[in-house]
Amino acid sequence: MRLIIFGPPGAGKGTQAKLLSSHLSIPHLSTGEILRSKQQDKDNLALKLKKIMSTGQLVSDEILNEIVSKKILSNKCKKGFILDGYPRTLKQLNYLDLFLVNKKVNLDIILNLQLNEETIENRLVERSKIENREDDSNDTILTRIITYNTETRPIIEFYKRKYPKIFFELNGEQKIENIQSEIIKILRKC
Ligand code: AMP
C-alpha cells in the first residue's frame, strides 16, 4: 500500500504515520526525520541543512527529490510506503508524479489532517518545550506556517482534485487514537 499523509506542522502526521507504518508493516518515509538525521553527519551538507531548517525554510527540491526517489526504489519500499512531509512544493509534486508514472507505481490513499491555525501555533510551542526542536522556536513557527500555506496547500488541492476517490480529509483536532481508528476505517474501505 502506498500512502501520502499531509497536514500542517504540528498536525500529528508523523505520529499517525508511525502507527500506520507498524499496522501495515511498510516504511514511514518522513523527509523531516531523514533530513534531521543527515544533520548529524557533520559534513558540508549537514551544515547547509542545519542553516535552512533552523529558520523554518524549505530544503532544495533537488535534494528532496533525490532522497525520496532512492527510498521508493529501495527493497524496503517494495510492498509500499507512507510519505510524510513530501511532496511539499510544485517542483516536488511534478517530479514525484512523473517518477511514479515512469515506475508504474500507483498511489492508494492520500490523507490530509486538518488543523486550525491557533491549534498549530499552540502545538508547535508545546513541542518546542518537549522535543527541543530548533525549528519549533517562536521565530520560525510563523515562517513554517506561511511556507505551508503558500507552498504546500496548493499541492494538497492538486491531489484532492486529481484523485478524489482516494483522497480523505481528517479532523486533526481529535485524539491520536480516534484519528488512527478513522484512518484504519478508511483503509478497510479502499
Ligand atoms: P517536518 O519534520 O516535516 O516538519 O520537516 C522539518 C523541516 O525539514 C522543514 O521545515 C524543512 O526545512 C525540511 N523539509 C522536510 N521535508 C521537506 C520537503 N519535502 N521539502 C523541503 N524541505 C523539507
Side-chain angles (χ1 to χ4, degrees):
M1 182 152 288
R2 289 156 185 98
L3 293 99
I4 305 184
I5 185 161
F6 285 110
K13 57 184 165 40
T15 306
Q16 295 301 332
K18 275 193 188 86
L19 290 168
L20 212 51
S21 161
S22 69
H23 180 77
L24 296 170
S25 304
I26 51 175
H28 168 208
L29 303 181
S30 158
T31 49
E33 275 180 18
I34 295 169
L35 293 170
R36 278 188 288 281
S37 87
K38 282 198 185 292
Q39 280 189 31
Q40 310 304 316
D41 290 349
K42 310 271 179 270
D43 54 9
N44 270 347
L45 176 64
L47 287 175
K48 209 165 127 187
L49 291 177
K50 206 173 165 62
K51 210 171 151 195
I52 300 168
M53 290 169 71
S54 64
T55 58
Q57 288 165 325
L58 293 180
V59 174
S60 86
D61 294 320
E62 290 71 24
I63 293 179
L64 267 300
N65 290 340
E66 192 185 331
I67 289 176
V68 174
S69 54
K70 273 191 186 156
K71 291 269 181 198
I72 291 179
L73 291 179
S74 70
N75 264 343
K76 281 188 184 165
C77 289
K78 267 208 166 121
K79 288 194 180 140
F81 50 81
I82 304 166
L83 273 181
D84 160 14
Y86 179 96
R88 228 151 152 144
T89 67
L90 197 60
K91 277 193 180 163
Q92 292 176 18
L93 164 77
N94 289 335
Y95 178 91
L96 179 70
D97 222 36
L98 193 64
F99 174 79
L100 294 179
V101 169
N102 284 340
K103 300 291 169 199
K104 298 188 173 53
V105 172
N106 286 327
L107 293 171
D108 298 299
I109 294 179
I110 300 161
L111 302 168
N112 185 31
L113 287 178
Q114 290 179 313
L115 212 60
N116 73 51
E117 232 158 80
E118 206 186 318
T119 315
I120 300 175
E121 279 177 45
N122 291 340
R123 287 203 188 166
L124 292 183
V125 170
E126 280 310 303
R127 190 165 75 182
S128 71
K129 290 180 201 153
I130 300 164
E131 292 181 16
N132 206 15
R133 258 178 66 166
E134 265 184 334
D135 60 348
D136 279 346
S137 67
N138 282 342
D139 294 346
T140 60
I141 286 174
L142 196 61
T143 311
R144 297 180 69 210
I145 294 173
I146 293 170
T147 307
Y148 174 78
N149 284 333
T150 54
E151 302 271 355
T152 309
R153 270 193 202 279
I155 308 304
I156 302 171
E157 286 307 312
F158 167 90
Y159 279 112
K160 194 174 176 174
R161 266 182 276 120
K162 185 166 180 187
Y163 303 105
K165 288 192 179 144
I166 59 162
F167 186 98
F168 299 90
E169 309 263 19
L170 295 147
N171 175 3
E173 309 271 342
Q174 303 176 83
K175 280 187 186 154
I176 292 173
E177 50 278 21
N178 291 359
I179 300 175
Q180 185 65 196
S181 67
E182 271 196 26
I183 296 177
I184 297 196
K185 273 187 209 151
I186 292 170
L187 296 180
R188 286 198 192 113
K189 274 197 287 180
C190 289

